[in-house]
Amino acid sequence: MTEHTYGNGIVVGVNGSEASMAALRWAAEQATVLHTCLVAVHAWEPAASGHAPYAPVPDGPTIAQEREQAAQVLAATVREALDPRTSGAVRRVVVEGPPSRVLLQQARGALLLALGRKAHGNFGLPSVGPVGRECLRHSTVPVVTVPVAEPSREPQEAVDSPSLARSGAS
């Protein structure tokens, strides 16, 4: 696998999730403000990569089909997350390999690496998955974890019910 240097560009990890779309939107805004390039990276691994070399090959997509599917995931995510004017300026990179290793290699020399995360994990702490943790531990560039926007909560209205008033539950 080749390592890429994107100068002062922003590299963002994309896997098709809402969290990665939030990171992509944030990174696109930052790239515009900083007048730098945006590189969306999708890492994929062959479905059979976890099998023993002597195990029979399961029926399924070929490596070429998996690579094409990975490219489609990346393209669809960029299209959905960004408006058409912005999405055309995004450099799309699809690389076979473990996500943390691919992202760390692709971000080497970049301005920063942006990753999505859930808004909250256990005990109200930020939720960073295993790929994010590996990138935070080993990155040579700053890593920004962007939370998924939580849906706004509408205030609960009081229920005006005569039966509640009579039962003493008011």
Side-chain angles (χ1 to χ4, degrees):
M1 182 181 334
T2 59
E3 295 179 15
H4 295 278
T5 302
Y6 294 107
N8 288 329
I10 296 175
V11 174
V12 58
V14 177
N15 66 1
S17 68
E18 286 294 324
S20 72
M21 284 192 265
L24 187 56
R25 287 184 200 102
W26 181 87
E29 290 175 15
Q30 294 303 307
T32 300
V33 169
L34 298 172
H35 305 289
T36 191
C37 66
L38 178 61
V39 182
V41 177
H42 178 77
W44 68 279
E45 295 181 272
S49 64
H51 294 92
Y54 53 81
V57 177
D59 291 338
T62 65
I63 298 291
Q65 290 169 327
E66 289 184 56
R67 185 178 298 114
E68 179 59 31
Q69 184 179 11
Q72 289 172 0
V73 167
L74 180 57
T77 305
V78 170
R79 213 174 22 255
E80 185 177 341
L82 304 175
D83 66 52
R85 292 176 305 210
T86 309
S87 66
V90 177
R91 180 171 178 185
R92 297 172 178 102
V93 177
V94 177
V95 180
E96 180 182 346
S100 55
R101 187 180 73 202
V102 167
L103 291 169
L104 290 168
Q105 288 176 339
Q106 294 294 315
R108 193 166 284 141
L111 183 62
L112 62 90
L113 171 61
L115 302 172
R117 66 173 172 83
K118 294 178 183 173
H120 296 288
N122 294 333
F123 310 109
L125 298 172
S127 175
V128 178
V131 172
R133 282 192 298 275
E134 282 298 301
C135 289
L136 286 165
R137 273 191 207 115
H138 301 290
S139 181
T140 58
V141 301
V143 179
V144 176
T145 60
V146 181
V148 172
E150 290 184 352
S152 63
R153 292 186 175 183
E154 295 296 321
Q156 297 293 321
E157 293 184 29
V159 177
D160 186 20
S161 171
S163 64
L164 289 176
R166 275 180 282 178
S167 69
S170 52

